[in-house]
């Protein structure tokens, strides 16, 4: 069963859901979802009802809103005998990514390959082993090329009777209309700064070693600078280098006065993005290799047996690592574009005397931003936001990152 009904977080009521009984409390499996209470209540009711359920869902939300976490929690609520108690083995295994009936297709490359989709389709045809449903979660479905999406289309249109598809994307417009029209859409809200800060203090901070824990001030600042992106807020709070790189970028943008400044700032940003990406992928590869050794009963310095050496070497395969670094570098650059845009967003806020109602993101740089707001009229400030959007489009079109940012920074110079 599929539906084109759209569920939107701020307005959860719809003709297909008002008859579902309201649970006495929200099941524990949803406890880690930040700032999505209307959606959580909606999906919790859906999982608790015995009525027919849509088998193809599209969970949409801006980067960092927690759409993949929502998909996992929804999967647990659907499979759990208690509709998401968070304590049974079914919930624990699904949330840990180890349940045999729930498969997650994610990628740290630029695109999701067609062979990966064909493999996941084969798995979707298999009967579930221990639970009512076989659930397939595809993160970042917008990263599929059109020919790959077409392979997925038939399964979404006519899913196996025992299979539920949960697709995740930034927005419904980021996927093909043929996919969008055959799924039930759930739109997530952007979490508030307060909700993100509370999450950092209650869920992230206690899990860190004593020497790595952060203060409430750091959590609040990280949430503000992340602008509702939970993953970036966690990164800012726990990685001082990333926070410093952001501060350097914002100061650099505010001090652009000539073309040489633009060229140097672009080179610095690209170098930082590559270094961050390489460090993250190296750490991730090391963790995967350590997990491989542990699963196969090998010590840190034990020799890899010939029978499994190929699988071990595939973890750090040079070509695969290069693709992952490219993807991660683009993520860092996209984060940089958000930081740049926040400067001109703050300029517009000051120009429209709206700081009291919406606040500014870059409070630490308020003096410099106020000076820039006095030098720019309103139209040039808006144009600079359009320049940032154009840079994002060029990067998405595989434009040379260094040239894209040199052009952007030159355009941002105030004469």
């Amino acid at each position: 069963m599929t539906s084109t009904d759209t569920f939107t977080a701020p307005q959860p009521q719809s003709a297909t859901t008002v008859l579902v009984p309201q649970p006495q409390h929200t099941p524990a499996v949803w406890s880690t979802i930040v700032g999505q209470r209307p959606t959580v209540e909606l999906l919790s009711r859906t999982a608790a009802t015995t009525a027919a359920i849509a088998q193809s869902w599209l969970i949409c939300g801006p980067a960092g809103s927690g759409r993949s976490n929502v998909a996992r929690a929804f999967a647990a609520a659907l499979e759990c005998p208690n509709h998401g108690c968070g304590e049974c083995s079914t919930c624990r295994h699904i949330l840990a990514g180890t349940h045999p009936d729930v498969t997650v297709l994610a990628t740290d490359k630029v695109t999701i390959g067609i062979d990966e989709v064909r493999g996941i389709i084969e798995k979707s045809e298999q009967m579930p082993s221990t639970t009512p449903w076989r659930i397939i979660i595809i993160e970042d479905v917008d990263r599929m090329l059109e020919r790959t999406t077409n392979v997925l289309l038939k399964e979404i249109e006519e899913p196996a009777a025992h299979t539920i598809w949960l697709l995740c994307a930034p927005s419904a417009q980021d996927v093909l209309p043929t996919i969008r029209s055959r799924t039930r859409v759930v739109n997530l809200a952007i979490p508030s700064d307060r909700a993100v800060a509370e999450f950092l203090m209650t869920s992230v901070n206690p899990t860190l070693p004593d020497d790595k824990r952060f203060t409430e001030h750091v959590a609040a600042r990280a949430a503000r600078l992340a602008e509702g992106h939970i993953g970036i807020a966690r990164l800012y709070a726990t990685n001082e280098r990333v926070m410093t790189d952001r501060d350097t970028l914002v100061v650099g943008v505010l001090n652009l006065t000539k073309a040489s400044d633009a060229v140097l700032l672009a080179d610095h940003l690209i170098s930082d993005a590559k270094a961050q990406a390489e460090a993250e992928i190296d750490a991730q590869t090391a963790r995967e290799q350590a997990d491989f050794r542990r699963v196969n009963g090998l010590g840190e310095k034990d020799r890899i047996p010939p029978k499994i050496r190929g699988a071990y070497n595939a973890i750090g395969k040079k070509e695969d690592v290069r693709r992952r670094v490219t993807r991660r570098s683009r993520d860092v650059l996209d984060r940089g574009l958000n930081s740049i845009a926040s400067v001109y967003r703050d300029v517009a806020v000051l120009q429209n005397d709206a700081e009291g109602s919406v606040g500014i993101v870059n409070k630490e740089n308020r003096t410099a931003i106020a000076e820039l707001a006095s030098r720019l009229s309103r139209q040039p400030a808006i144009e600079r936001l359009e320049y940032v959007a154009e840079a994002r489009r060029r990067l998405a079109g595989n434009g040379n990152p260094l040239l894209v940012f040199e052009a952007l920074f030159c355009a941002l110079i105030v004469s």
Side-chain angles (χ1 to χ4, degrees):
M1 173 183 174
T2 59
S3 170
T4 57
D5 293 346
T6 299
F7 293 158
T8 303
Q11 299 176 336
Q13 299 294 329
S14 76
T16 60
T17 60
V18 292
L19 299 181
V20 178
Q22 175 69 40
Q24 296 300 311
H25 63 277
T26 303
V29 77
W30 299 100
S31 61
T32 60
I33 306 303
V34 181
Q36 305 294 344
R37 183 171 181 178
T39 298
V40 164
E41 292 176 350
L42 170 65
L43 295 181
S44 181
R45 291 196 303 268
T46 301
T49 184
T50 57
I53 183 174
Q55 290 180 251
S56 301
W57 296 73
L58 179 61
I59 300 174
C60 301
S65 60
R67 53 182 184 259
S68 60
N69 290 335
V70 168
R72 285 175 170 81
F74 189 30
L78 289 168
E79 303 283 38
C80 172
N82 298 313
H83 311 300
C85 65
E87 300 175 356
C88 66
S89 61
T90 296
C91 287
R92 292 199 307 269
H93 282 297
I94 290 175
L95 296 180
T98 57
H99 197 282
D101 295 335
V102 178
T103 303
V104 179
L105 176 58
T107 184
D108 50 12
K109 302 175 185 176
V110 177
T111 60
I112 296 176
I114 194 169
D115 291 336
E116 294 175 283
V117 173
R118 286 172 176 157
I120 210 78
I121 288 174
E122 290 181 8
K123 182 160 286 191
S124 74
E125 297 294 337
Q126 301 172 8
M127 292 294 295
S129 56
T130 63
T131 52
W133 300 98
R134 178 165 293 281
I135 298 179
I136 308 294
I137 299 173
I138 301 183
E139 297 181 5
D140 301 320
V141 71
D142 55 302
R143 290 188 178 272
M144 291 184 185
L145 299 176
E146 184 172 351
R147 64 190 184 96
T148 305
T149 307
N150 288 333
V151 171
L152 178 66
L153 177 60
K154 184 171 178 59
E155 287 297 318
I156 297 298
E157 189 174 16
E158 299 177 4
H162 54 266
T163 300
I164 291 179
W165 291 85
L166 304 179
L167 313 180
C168 303
S171 71
Q173 287 67 41
D174 289 317
V175 301
L176 291 179
T178 48
I179 292 286
R180 186 168 66 240
S181 64
R182 289 162 174 78
T183 56
R184 177 161 290 183
V185 180
V186 177
N187 290 315
L188 303 184
I190 299 176
S192 67
D193 291 351
R194 180 177 178 181
V196 175
E198 289 178 354
F199 169 75
L200 293 176
M201 292 301 298
T202 58
S203 298
V204 177
N205 211 20
T207 65
L208 299 173
D210 291 343
D211 61 334
K212 297 291 185 181
R213 293 187 181 178
F214 46 84
T215 64
E216 186 174 350
H217 170 74
V218 170
R221 184 182 181 221
R224 168 169 50 82
L225 296 181
E227 299 180 82
H229 192 303
I230 301 167
I232 291 179
R234 183 201 299 263
L235 189 62
Y236 285 157
T238 58
N239 192 320
E240 186 176 352
R241 173 187 172 180
V242 174
M243 182 75 87
T244 301
D245 286 345
R246 185 195 186 279
D247 292 340
T248 300
L249 174 61
V250 169
V251 171
V253 170
L254 289 169
N255 290 329
L256 285 172
T257 58
K258 52 186 182 294
S260 59
D261 294 336
V263 172
L264 291 174
L265 185 58
D267 181 70
H268 183 73
L269 175 60
I270 300 301
S271 298
D272 280 350
K274 185 177 180 181
Q276 281 189 42
E278 289 176 343
E280 291 179 22
I281 296 303
D282 286 347
Q284 182 178 340
T285 300
R287 288 194 299 269
E288 291 173 358
Q289 290 174 337
D291 289 342
F292 184 94
R293 286 179 174 274
R294 178 179 52 80
V295 168
N296 288 279
L298 299 172
E300 183 179 351
K301 297 183 179 179
D302 290 345
R303 184 178 181 184
I304 306 295
K307 289 184 178 180
I308 59 174
R309 192 173 299 157
Y312 179 80
N313 291 336
I315 296 174
K317 190 177 179 181
K318 186 175 181 179
E319 185 65 20
D320 186 52
V321 169
R322 184 186 65 80
R323 291 194 184 99
R324 293 162 73 180
V325 168
T326 299
R327 157 73 188 276
R328 196 62 57 88
S329 296
R330 292 188 180 185
D331 290 343
V332 176
L333 293 177
D334 188 73
R335 188 166 71 235
L337 288 172
N338 289 338
S339 299
I340 297 166
S342 73
V343 171
Y344 296 98
R345 176 263 185 199
D346 288 347
V347 167
V349 167
L350 294 181
Q351 289 177 336
N352 289 279
D353 197 22
E355 184 178 3
S357 56
V358 299
I360 65 173
V361 174
N362 301 284
K363 288 183 179 180
E364 297 77 11
N365 307 99
R366 190 191 183 286
T367 300
I369 289 173
E371 181 182 348
L372 180 60
S374 66
R375 295 166 59 198
L376 282 175
S377 60
R378 294 186 179 185
Q379 184 59 35
I382 298 300
E383 287 175 352
R384 279 157 174 74
L385 287 171
E386 293 173 354
Y387 297 156
V388 175
E390 177 62 25
R392 180 172 275 114
R393 287 191 291 270
R394 289 174 176 174
L395 285 178
N398 290 323
N400 182 296
L402 182 59
L403 296 180
V404 168
F405 278 94
E406 285 179 352
L408 171 61
F409 293 144
C410 284
L412 298 180
I413 294 172
V414 180
S415 56

